[in-house]
Amino acid sequence: MIELNRAGYVYKEGGPFERNALEEATMQINKGEFVGIIGHTGSGKSTMIQLMNALLLPTSGTVTVDGQVTTDKSTKLRDIRFKVGMVFQYPEHQIFEETVRAEISFGPRNQGLSGQELEDRVNQAMEMVHIPQKWSELSPFELSGGQKRRVAIASILAIRPQVLILDEPTAGLDPASRDKLLKEVRNMRDNLGITVVFITHSMEDIADIADRIIAMDKGRVKFDGTPQEVFSHMEELDKMGLSVPEVTRLTARLGLPLCFTVKQAKAVINKELEKHNA
Ligand code: ADP
Ligand code: MG
């Protein structure tokens, strides 16, 4: 679905404030996959995903979205932006309409939808992230941080993207809102079958749901593999400023299969105890 081939990005190239944000990134996002991208602040995550919906064009290498190279003259960037929907790092900054319904209608209206078709599209997007109808006429600015993020996600889902990119959707949320948002994302994954790219610096957020994890370090793709594979590099992840979940460390120390959640660990430990007691 998306392919980066030695893609790089330099901000303010040639100027005194030149910044090399991404170097030689090569990777693929396959259709239907749930990919987690982790990395410390400044490691190039946001830059990389902006290349994926052609908000930024690579300053070296290529990015291909659904067969179209973003830097080709014939590529319509508008089509790419409808295919690859992006929820920004602080989605509250992405919200600008007066009501929740107007906010969620904005994208599909831009795609040419109107009347009942538009209403249906908006209602479905609201249902996907469990936004109650009674919020429709509220100002998005009256909502809590977590609620605003669900509105931002719904407004992107309403354009029916093939790929949904979420840039640190849980950052700055309290634990309850964070868990609720993660649950919505899980539901989406199970029910929609769309391709999801989820950026976070908290490995606990994604270890349990991602098919694949890409770990970024200083503008480079450092690891790319299943959560099991990536988390087996525990020491290097530590050096990259990423904290491996406590329970993962514990299962590693016990020589057990790596677990990412307490629930998984409980099952694995119980099984070991049964073996031991038999
Ligand atoms: P992350 O999302 O992992 O925190 P970013 O992609 O935002 O990383 O940033 C990568 C590097 O590029 C950082 O060094 C950052 O300071 C720099 N950078 C990001 N945005 C800009 C910008 N608009 N202008 C100049 N430098 C930038
Ligand atoms: Mg970022």
Side-chain angles (χ1 to χ4, degrees), residues 40-47 49-50 89 167-168 199:
H40 197 261
T41 304
S43 61
K45 305 182 295 298
S46 295
T47 303
I49 57 160
Q50 288 178 78
Q89 190 152 356
D167 194 355
E168 306 218 25
I199 291 88

Side-chain angles (χ1 to χ4, degrees), residues 141-195:
F141 300 99
E142 290 171 50
L143 304 174
S144 75
Q147 292 168 339
K148 274 186 204 139
R149 287 188 197 190
R150 278 155 58 210
V151 169
I153 294 173
S155 65
I156 301 301
L157 286 175
I159 64 173
R160 297 266 170 92
Q162 294 178 31
V163 183
L164 177 69
I165 302 184
L166 302 161
D167 194 355
E168 306 218 25
T170 56
L173 295 182
D174 60 83
S177 313
R178 170 181 168 271
D179 288 348
K180 183 133 197 221
L181 191 87
L182 285 174
K183 214 159 155 195
E184 302 288 358
V185 173
R186 260 166 230 257
N187 284 342
M188 247 163 45
R189 179 222 163 65
D190 297 342
N191 303 332
L192 295 185
I194 65 170
T195 308

Side-chain angles (χ1 to χ4, degrees), residues 133-145:
Q133 283 293 336
K134 65 178 184 210
W135 292 7
S136 284
E137 298 311 315
L138 293 182
S139 160
F141 300 99
E142 290 171 50
L143 304 174
S144 75

Side-chain angles (χ1 to χ4, degrees), residues 6 8 15 18 25 53 157 177 183 188 204 229 245 257 263 278:
R6 307 184 66 179
E18 179 173 299
N53 86 336
L157 286 175
S177 313
K183 214 159 155 195
M188 247 163 45
E204 269 158 285
E229 284 162 358
K263 200 171 150 198

